[in-house]
């Protein structure tokens, strides 16, 4: 039966109308068949198996070598010029196996003959007999120096050249033998493809049913209040947010994590917070615990399995739903992309598109955007060539737009081709769009389930998401993740820090000295432990990497005044007292004076900070996700001026 899409696995001969005279002699194209690839000279090159049939191509996979997969696609237009059917592939591979076994045996015989000739083969024979030892041969030759030297040279040549070369040939021969022996497995795997896809479709439908039916059971009311009036639309936020970035909880300890969910819910329940995160009377937003993994390697109480589990929990996504003054949290079993649904024109094929494939990743770009990026790259390349001519011997890194040039070269227009019915990537692009569409449709399925099976969005009338009018009357998609370009460059924390540090001096209140002190004490403690035998290398290095706080020593403090300022070297000295841990002969228990000198590069001048300055970094999404870079210093400054530090 003829097929029409890339999910089909047989293709009738009618698909080759341009070659009718040659089609009559061919069987129906099916998965698991074998074809020779034909080179430019018209000669057979390699024998491969049909493992995929698309709407405009057939994919031929070659027998695997060393476990590596190798395949190539051929368009139907060039089918007869580049492929030739092989009806007796089993016979071909049987002959290939026999020939390869003969080659391996020949190499084995050469190795055996060489070792026996040199008298180094001392195999125990059946019946207890043994070949003469090499020591006997050396004894006989001991009176013939010339022969002994020749024998020695033969041994050296066998060790360094002859035997390694033979063993290398044997290894290559056995790898080819394995390839031929396992070749027919490609046919078996290819014929299983339809079954795998059927199972995937069943799993997809089961998953969709669980999305629709199983959400209300995991709902948690985190804020009481009056619901929004009937007729209020549900606003679905497009961009996924990250809890740690929104609330900056535990910023001094590397940000919040899964165990802090209840604290986050308490934070979100506060009026100023839930109205910012959920700005509409009926609103839904997806939130992940954190964007990046938290470094837990310094915690000696965690084994690798627990650490892996905790990292997985940090990637969980939750849905937060606001209905008037009420706020709910819903746990989900599936991951959302950073955009819950695409831009309005994301998959428009009303204009020419370009496509490229890198490994298994498909990238799409409108032709107009491709032309713009290409022109930008060409202009930058011309500017770069002119700069090189005028700056002979100067490092390329000094070119003002070097980073932009490298980015355009690697991620710009390279590898793209027009996306049309002749493109061998056409099916991949369509399948990716279909997959993304299915994923985005889960949002609609999820909403329908909430309307039908829970009271989280009550009161409301009858809602059918799949009807256009009903959807428009009850749901609004908020495109907060696309079309929101930020003006100008993102805020530069290092430049801001340098500006504040310019007025640093004696008596300035600063941040950063405590980290420098912990690093110094960690190095001292690591060296002390390394000198003994009680600690492993890993334990010592963990101390060195993650800091150390000595018992009875408070350190210089998270926020502290500079005791002495050294303007020429731009270093600051801090002084404090620690507890005396050993008593003198006279019972003196007075505290011990301590100090540390820190470079201004490692400090932040809180005295020059103005309350609210952190907002310029928090309000810009580009620097908000970098909060661990600036939050410890700037929020410590906020705490200081609020009297909390």
């Amino acid at each position: 039966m003829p097929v029409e899409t890339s999910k089909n696995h047989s293709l009738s001969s009618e698909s080759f109308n341009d070659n009718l005279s040659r089609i009559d002699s061919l069987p129906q194209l099916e998965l698991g068949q074998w074809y020779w690839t034909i080179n430019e000279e018209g000669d057979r090159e390699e024998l491969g198996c049909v493992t995929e049939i698309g709407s405009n191509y057939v994919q031929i996979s070659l027998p695997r070598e060393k476990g590596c997969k190798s395949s190539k696609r051929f368009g139907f237009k060039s089918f007869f010029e580049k492929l030739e059917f092989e009806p007796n592939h089993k016979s071909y591979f049987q002959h290939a196996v026999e020939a390869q076994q003969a080659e391996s045996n020949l190499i084995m015989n050469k190795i055996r003959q060489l070792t026996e000739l040199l008298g180094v083969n001392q195999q125990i024979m059946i019946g207890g007999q043994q070949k003469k030892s090499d020591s006997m041969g050396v004894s006989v030759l001991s009176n013939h120096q010339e022969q002994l030297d020749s024998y020695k040279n033969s041994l050296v040549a066998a060790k360094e050249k002859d035997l390694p070369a033979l063993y290398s040939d044997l290894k290559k021969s056995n790898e080819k033998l394995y390839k031929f022996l396992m070749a027919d497995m490609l046919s078996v795997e290819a014929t299983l493809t339809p079954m795998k896809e059927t199972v995937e479709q069943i799993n997809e439908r089961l998953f969709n049913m669980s999305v629709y039916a199983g959400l209300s059971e995991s709902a948690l009311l985190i804020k009481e209040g009056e619901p929004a009036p009937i007729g209020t639309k549900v606003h679905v936020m497009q961009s996924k947010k990250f809890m740690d970035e929104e609330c900056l909880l535990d910023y001094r300890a590397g940000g919040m994590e899964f165990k802090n969910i209840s604290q986050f819910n308490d934070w979100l329940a506060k009026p100023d917070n839930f109205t910012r995160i959920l700005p509409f009377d009926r609103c839904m937003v997806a939130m992940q615990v954190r964007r990046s993994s938290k470094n837990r390697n310094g915690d000696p109480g965690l084994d690798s399995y627990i650490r892996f589990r905790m990292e997985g929990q940090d990637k969980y996504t939750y849905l937060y739903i606001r209905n008037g003054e009420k706020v709910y949290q819903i746990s989900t079993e599936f991951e959302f992309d950073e955009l819950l649904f695409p831009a309005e024109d994301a998959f428009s094929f009303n204009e020419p598109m370009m496509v490229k494939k890198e490994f298994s990743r498909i990238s799409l770009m409108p032709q107009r955007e491709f032309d713009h990026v290409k022109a930008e790259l060409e202009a930058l390349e011309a500017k770069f060539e002119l700069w090189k001519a005028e700056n002979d011997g100067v490092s390329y890194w000094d070119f003002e737009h070097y980073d932009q040039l490298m980015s355009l070269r690697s991620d710009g227009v390279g590898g793209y081709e027009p996306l049309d019915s002749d493109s061998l990537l056409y099916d991949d692009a369509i399948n990716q769009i279909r997959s993304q569409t299915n994923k985005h449709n889960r949002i609609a399925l999820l909403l329908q389930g909430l309307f039908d099976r829970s009271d989280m969005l009550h009161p409301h009338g009858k809602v059918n998401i799949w009807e256009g009018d009903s959807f428009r009357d009850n749901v609004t998609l908020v495109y907060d993740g696309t079309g929101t370009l930020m003006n100008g460059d993102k805020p530069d924390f290092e430049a801001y820090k340098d500006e504040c540090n310019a007025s640093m001096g004696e008596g300035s209140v600063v941040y950063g000295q405590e980290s420098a002190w912990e690093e110094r004490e960690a190095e001292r403690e690591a060296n002390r432990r390394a000198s003994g035998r009680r600690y492993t290398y890993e334990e010592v290095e963990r101390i060195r990497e993650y800091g150390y706080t000595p018992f009875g020593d408070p350190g210089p403090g998270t926020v502290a005044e500079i005791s002495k300022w050294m303007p020429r070297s731009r270093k600051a000295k801090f002084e404090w007292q620690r507890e005396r841990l050993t008593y003198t002969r006279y019972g003196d228990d007075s505290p011990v004076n301590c100090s540390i000198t820190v470079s201004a590069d490692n400090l932040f001048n809180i005295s020059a900070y103005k309350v609210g300055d952190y907002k310029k970094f928090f309000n810009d999404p580009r620097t908000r996700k970098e909060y661990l870079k600036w939050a410890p210093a700037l929020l410590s400054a906020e705490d200081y001026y609020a009297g909390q530090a």
Side-chain angles (χ1 to χ4, degrees):
M1 182 176 180
V3 297
E4 300 177 358
T5 71
S6 62
K7 291 296 180 183
N8 299 308
H9 303 288
S10 64
L11 191 70
S12 70
S13 57
E14 285 79 358
S15 299
F16 304 100
N17 291 327
D18 295 335
N19 298 275
L20 290 177
S21 61
R22 301 170 67 179
I23 290 174
D24 292 338
S25 61
L26 288 176
Q28 181 175 334
L29 180 62
E30 294 178 348
L31 292 170
Q33 291 176 335
W34 289 81
Y35 284 79
W36 288 98
T37 60
I38 308 300
N39 60 24
E40 296 295 331
E41 290 73 31
D43 300 323
R44 289 179 172 183
E45 204 164 41
E46 294 178 293
L47 183 59
C49 180
V50 177
T51 54
E52 189 175 320
I53 301 173
S55 62
N56 62 355
Y57 70 88
V58 57
Q59 179 169 293
I60 302 295
S61 295
L62 302 177
R64 296 171 190 167
E65 256 184 284
K66 297 181 181 179
C68 298
K69 295 181 179 180
S70 176
S71 60
K72 187 175 180 180
R73 290 181 177 180
F74 296 87
F76 289 150
K77 289 185 176 181
S78 61
F79 186 90
F80 291 107
E81 288 72 30
K82 295 185 177 181
L83 294 174
E84 180 183 323
F85 179 62
E86 173 55 69
N88 299 313
H89 72 279
K90 289 182 179 292
S91 176
Y92 168 80
F93 283 119
Q94 180 61 39
H95 290 314
V97 166
E98 292 172 357
Q100 206 61 50
Q101 285 175 331
E103 181 179 324
S104 295
N105 290 334
L106 182 62
I107 297 171
M108 284 291 294
N109 286 332
K110 288 182 179 180
I111 293 173
R112 188 179 300 111
Q113 290 170 7
L114 178 60
T115 55
E116 288 180 352
L117 181 64
L118 297 173
V120 296
N121 192 344
Q122 299 185 17
Q123 291 180 320
I124 302 297
M125 307 301 291
I126 296 176
Q129 296 180 351
Q130 184 176 354
K131 292 191 176 183
K132 294 180 180 180
S133 71
D134 56 347
S135 61
M136 184 181 296
V138 173
S139 174
V140 172
L141 292 173
S142 60
N143 295 322
H144 303 276
Q145 185 62 43
E146 184 177 338
Q147 295 181 24
L148 186 59
D149 291 342
S150 175
Y151 179 69
K152 176 183 176 181
N153 292 336
S154 298
L155 283 175
V156 171
K159 172 188 174 184
E160 297 181 355
K161 181 180 178 182
D162 298 337
L163 283 175
L166 286 170
Y167 281 127
S168 176
D169 291 343
L170 181 62
K171 180 181 179 183
K172 293 176 182 177
S173 179
N174 286 337
E175 287 173 351
K176 289 182 180 179
L177 178 60
Y178 173 83
K179 178 180 77 170
F180 293 138
L181 285 170
M182 299 301 293
D184 212 40
M185 287 300 297
L186 282 173
S187 300
V188 177
E189 292 176 8
T191 55
L192 290 176
T193 299
M195 184 185 302
K196 293 178 182 177
E197 292 177 355
T198 300
V199 172
E200 289 175 1
Q201 292 176 8
I202 293 173
N203 286 337
E204 177 74 16
R205 294 186 181 184
L206 287 173
F207 184 77
N208 287 341
M209 287 299 297
S210 69
V211 171
Y212 172 82
L215 288 173
S216 58
E217 286 79 359
S218 63
L220 175 67
L221 179 64
I222 65 172
K223 185 181 182 301
E224 294 275 8
E226 291 296 319
I230 190 170
T232 304
K233 288 187 177 184
V234 178
H235 291 71
V236 183
M237 312 302 288
Q238 181 190 36
S239 64
K240 179 173 66 176
K241 299 184 183 298
F242 298 88
M243 299 179 188
D244 63 330
E245 296 170 14
E246 296 299 332
C247 71
L248 304 180
L249 185 67
D250 266 3
Y251 61 88
R252 289 179 182 167
M256 71 166 285
E257 51 189 304
F258 175 76
K259 67 181 181 181
N260 304 124
I261 292 292
S262 60
Q263 291 175 265
F264 175 79
N265 289 343
D266 292 341
W267 174 89
L268 185 63
K270 297 177 181 178
D272 290 344
N273 297 330
F274 86 80
T275 53
R276 176 174 69 83
I277 302 297
L278 299 157
F280 302 96
D281 285 342
R282 274 194 183 150
C283 189
M284 183 176 78
V285 63
M287 301 200 74
Q288 188 171 300
V289 178
R290 53 187 300 130
R291 186 188 300 267
S292 55
S293 297
K294 185 174 182 178
N295 192 338
R296 297 183 173 91
N297 293 328
D299 191 338
L302 297 179
D303 63 27
S304 57
Y305 174 72
I306 296 175
R307 192 175 293 114
F308 175 78
R309 287 287 303 272
M310 294 178 73
E311 289 175 358
Q313 290 171 337
D314 286 350
K315 296 295 183 181
Y316 284 173
T317 303
Y318 298 84
L319 292 174
Y320 284 88
I321 296 176
R322 174 185 174 185
N323 184 7
E325 294 297 311
K326 291 186 174 184
V327 179
Y328 296 88
Q329 178 204 63
I330 299 178
S331 302
T332 64
E333 294 183 0
F334 58 97
E335 288 291 329
F336 292 97
D337 293 334
E338 288 207 26
L339 296 182
L340 272 66
F341 46 86
E344 293 179 277
D345 60 349
F347 300 136
S348 173
F349 283 90
N350 296 325
E351 59 176 327
M353 299 288 290
M354 305 291 288
V355 62
K356 76 172 178 179
K357 186 174 186 178
E358 295 176 300
F359 301 103
S360 60
R361 180 172 175 267
I362 294 293
S363 299
L364 296 168
M365 181 187 296
Q367 175 76 51
R368 54 180 169 77
E369 182 180 344
F370 174 87
D371 294 338
H372 174 77
V373 174
K374 184 178 180 181
E376 185 180 3
L377 175 59
E378 291 173 349
L380 209 53
E381 291 280 13
K383 190 179 295 185
F384 183 50
E385 292 300 321
L386 182 62
W387 179 88
K388 285 195 297 183
E390 297 174 350
N391 295 271
D392 187 32
V394 180
S395 171
Y396 293 166
W397 290 96
D398 292 334
F399 179 54
E400 181 181 3
H401 307 289
Y402 185 78
D403 289 343
Q404 182 184 2
L405 176 62
M406 292 300 102
S407 177
L408 286 175
R409 281 179 175 177
S410 60
D411 302 325
V413 296
Y416 277 96
E417 63 181 63
L419 177 60
D420 52 36
S421 58
D422 291 333
S423 171
L424 299 184
L425 298 177
Y426 182 81
D427 287 0
D428 297 275
I430 296 301
N431 288 338
Q432 176 169 293
I433 292 171
R434 181 186 293 118
S435 175
Q436 291 178 339
T437 301
N438 289 340
K439 187 179 292 186
H440 295 141
N441 281 342
R442 288 174 184 165
I443 301 299
L445 193 63
L446 186 154
L447 281 171
Q448 189 67 55
L450 291 176
F451 279 119
D452 292 349
R453 302 190 69 253
S454 79
D455 59 1
M456 279 181 272
L457 296 176
H458 283 183
H460 62 79
K462 183 179 179 181
V463 179
N464 187 344
I465 297 294
W466 311 111
E467 294 180 359
D469 290 341
S470 181
F471 180 88
R472 285 186 289 271
D473 291 343
N474 293 278
V475 179
T476 296
L477 301 179
V478 181
Y479 294 91
D480 62 328
T482 54
T484 54
L485 296 177
M486 305 300 296
N487 293 324
D489 297 330
K490 71 177 184 179
D492 187 337
F493 174 67
E494 292 301 325
Y496 170 78
K497 174 184 165 185
D498 291 342
E499 181 183 341
C500 291
N501 285 0
S503 60
M504 188 182 296
E506 189 167 318
S508 294
V509 177
V510 296
Y511 170 91
Q513 59 283 345
E514 188 168 64
S515 295
W517 168 71
E518 288 177 349
E519 290 176 10
R520 185 189 74 176
E521 295 302 317
E523 187 66 25
R524 289 177 175 178
E525 180 65 14
N527 291 336
R528 184 187 71 80
R529 296 189 180 192
S531 63
R533 297 184 179 180
R534 293 179 54 194
Y535 301 96
T536 65
Y537 172 81
E538 290 75 15
E539 289 172 327
V540 171
E541 289 304 304
R542 190 178 290 123
I543 288 290
R544 185 175 279 115
E545 185 175 357
Y546 295 100
Y548 178 76
T549 302
F551 178 76
D553 192 341
T558 304
V559 174
E561 287 189 11
I562 295 176
S563 303
K564 182 180 179 181
W565 173 249
M566 291 158 265
R568 295 185 63 180
S569 60
R570 290 194 60 77
K571 292 184 177 180
K573 184 177 181 181
F574 301 86
E575 298 176 334
W576 71 97
Q577 292 182 322
R578 68 167 174 81
E579 179 183 340
R580 186 181 294 276
L581 301 181
T582 58
Y583 295 104
T584 66
R585 289 168 49 187
Y586 307 104
D588 182 12
D589 61 352
S590 59
V592 179
N593 294 325
C594 302
S595 67
I596 187 172
T597 300
V598 183
S599 170
D601 293 338
N602 298 322
L603 301 172
F604 172 71
N605 186 13
I606 290 178
S607 294
Y609 176 87
K610 295 181 177 60
V611 174
D613 274 1
Y614 80 93
K615 293 180 181 178
K616 69 178 70 175
F617 302 99
F618 180 77
N619 292 338
D620 192 308
R622 296 169 295 180
T623 45
R624 184 184 302 176
K625 66 182 180 182
E626 300 172 350
Y627 74 96
L628 289 177
K629 179 179 179 180
W630 53 262
L634 302 192
L635 297 187
S636 292
E638 286 284 323
D639 291 342
Y640 172 77
Y641 285 110
Q644 300 173 6

